[in-house]
């Protein structure tokens, strides 16, 4: 499972010109599910995302996490993060999970996030929809996290 996280001062998602999600300060995470991913990878990624220290402490160092700051989380499904771009001029999407398993694991990740942070702090994009994601990256701060069945805990 892959998460591209961005520290934001605000963000929103629209589908068909209708705003479906909005957050203030926090993280936007573009989330890709890979074919071998299971509930365990979703749990591990969400645990890391909520505890990943990307927010400044009083000295300006990145020592605080989303759990520490009380910020919001916007999860956006994005299968293109799992694309194979190693050769040619067109990406291959064989590295992305199929729609059924992708949707199921995205929903598991959302439930895990809401369990860890509280429902009111978690917003989502719409799986399978053509979305417009608008955000103000704060920093800019962007990290790519990947967990797999072979990842060590921690």
């Amino acid at each position: 499972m892959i998460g591209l996280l961005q520290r934001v001062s605000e963000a929103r998602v629209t589908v068909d010109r209708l705003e479906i999600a909005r957050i203030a300060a926090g993280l936007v995470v573009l989330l890709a599910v890979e074919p071998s991913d299971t509930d365990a990878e979703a749990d591990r990624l969400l645990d890391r995302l909520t505890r990943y220290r990307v927010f400044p402490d009083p000295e300006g160092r990145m020592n605080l996490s989303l759990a520490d700051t009380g910020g919001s989380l916007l999860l956006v499904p994005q299968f293109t993060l799992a694309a194979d771009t190693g050769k040619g001029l067109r990406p291959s999407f064989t590295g992305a999970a199929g729609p059924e398993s992708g949707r199921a694991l995205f929903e598991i990740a959302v439930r895990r996030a809401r369990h860890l942070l509280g429902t009111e702090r978690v917003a989502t994009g719409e799986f399978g929809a053509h979305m417009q994601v608008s955000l103000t990256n704060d920093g800019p701060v962007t990290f790519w996290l990947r967990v797999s069945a072979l990842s060590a805990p921690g």
Side-chain angles (χ1 to χ4, degrees):
M1 191 167 273
I2 301 167
L4 180 73
L5 68 94
Q6 298 177 76
R7 186 178 75 191
V8 300
S9 56
E10 53 103 22
R12 67 188 181 111
V13 176
T14 58
V15 174
D16 295 329
R17 296 189 200 141
L18 296 172
E19 184 175 283
I20 64 165
R22 175 183 289 269
I23 65 166
L27 294 177
V28 169
V29 178
L30 305 177
L31 190 66
V33 178
E34 297 174 287
S36 62
D37 289 338
T38 66
D39 298 17
E41 284 75 42
D43 284 347
R44 177 146 160 64
L45 183 62
L46 264 295
D47 182 59
R48 287 194 73 199
L49 289 173
T50 58
R51 296 185 311 120
Y52 211 66
R53 298 183 305 172
V54 298
F55 295 94
D57 65 14
E59 287 79 42
R61 294 187 189 100
M62 285 191 207
N63 277 328
L64 301 177
S65 69
L66 195 61
D68 298 325
T69 64
S72 296
L73 175 64
L74 175 55
L75 292 174
V76 179
Q78 188 171 351
F79 77 97
T80 61
L81 282 175
D84 179 356
T85 59
K87 60 183 176 180
L89 299 175
R90 184 174 185 273
S92 167
F93 297 106
T94 58
E100 285 184 29
S101 61
R103 179 186 305 272
L105 283 171
F106 178 74
E107 290 172 1
I108 287 168
V110 170
R111 283 193 302 271
R112 177 72 172 148
R114 288 179 172 153
H115 172 76
L116 291 169
L117 297 173
T119 302
E120 68 285 347
R121 290 176 56 196
V122 179
T124 71
E126 183 178 326
F127 193 94
H130 183 93
M131 298 173 277
Q132 289 75 46
V133 180
S134 303
L135 58 91
T136 303
N137 191 315
D138 181 25
V141 173
T142 303
F143 293 97
W144 189 79
L145 298 178
R146 184 176 190 190
V147 298
S148 65
L150 303 176
S151 295

